[in-house]
Amino acid sequence: MINRTVLVGRLTRDPELKRTANGAAVASFTLAVNRQFTNSQGEREADFINCVIWRKAAENFTKLVHKGYLVGIDGRIQTRNYENKQGNRVYVTEVVVDNFSLLESRNTNSSNNAHDNSNNQSNNSNDNMSDPFADNSKPIDISDDSLPF
């Protein structure tokens, strides 16, 4: 049997790092993953998928990423249930993350967040000058001598 999940999406909030009773680190977060199609109004919808990551990976993940960050995760779907304080049975389906990949530089994400969340001008224009791939609208200047074929 196979239970593998690969997702690419953006964090809807900063990951929450907690510790279990025996001290194991666990972080939970929600990943917004765009659907491949648009709805009848021409808008792209997203699925909001609950995820959990454990131990050292959880500690590293929470240090490296924040709300809005683009990440790739690899894991498995897991279901669990518990009884809440009102005595009701609560069922939870989530992705247990085995591996993650950072899909944008920290500078790129912080400049996007600064641009999206405030009216202040970001001071990252010098960062983009050194990255030939920062502006997708401009052609990249590469000579034929630089190509390996």
Side-chain angles (χ1 to χ4, degrees):
M1 296 190 208
I2 299 172
N3 181 358
R4 296 305 309 159
T5 302
V6 177
L7 300 171
V8 173
R10 293 196 179 274
L11 272 70
T12 61
R13 57 183 164 80
D14 288 352
E16 264 182 66
L17 182 65
K18 295 180 181 180
R19 300 246 176 225
T20 64
N22 10 343
V26 58
S28 60
F29 59 96
T30 302
L31 207 59
V33 180
N34 286 338
R35 294 183 178 169
Q36 294 297 317
F37 52 88
T38 57
N39 63 19
S40 59
Q41 290 80 30
E43 299 166 341
R44 189 169 304 274
E45 295 179 354
D47 292 302
F48 299 91
I49 301 169
N50 295 325
C51 303
V52 64
I53 188 168
W54 289 87
R55 297 175 188 76
K56 188 65 175 171
E59 294 173 357
N60 292 337
F61 190 78
T62 57
K63 288 178 188 174
L64 294 171
V65 299
H66 301 286
K67 178 181 176 180
Y69 204 91
L70 183 67
V71 297
I73 63 167
D74 170 39
R76 68 185 191 284
I77 296 174
Q78 179 174 292
T79 58
R80 59 185 171 88
N81 64 76
Y82 63 94
E83 195 171 300
N84 66 10
K85 293 176 183 175
Q86 292 78 26
N88 297 327
R89 178 89 21 218
V90 177
Y91 294 89
V92 178
T93 301
E94 59 198 357
V95 175
V96 178
V97 177
D98 294 325
N99 298 298
F100 67 90
S101 295
L102 309 178
L103 299 180
E104 62 188 356
S105 71
R106 294 175 82 178
N107 290 340
T108 301
N109 185 259
S110 63
S111 78
N112 286 344
N113 284 343
H115 178 71
D116 291 342
N117 295 332
S118 72
N119 291 330
N120 297 336
Q121 290 284 335
S122 155
N123 212 3
N124 291 329
S125 59
N126 291 340
D127 293 343
N128 291 342
M129 299 304 262
S130 62
D131 183 0
F133 304 104
D135 186 1
N136 292 337
S137 65
K138 295 181 184 176
I140 301 168
D141 185 25
I142 299 176
S143 71
D144 289 343
D145 297 335
S146 299
L147 299 175
F149 47 89

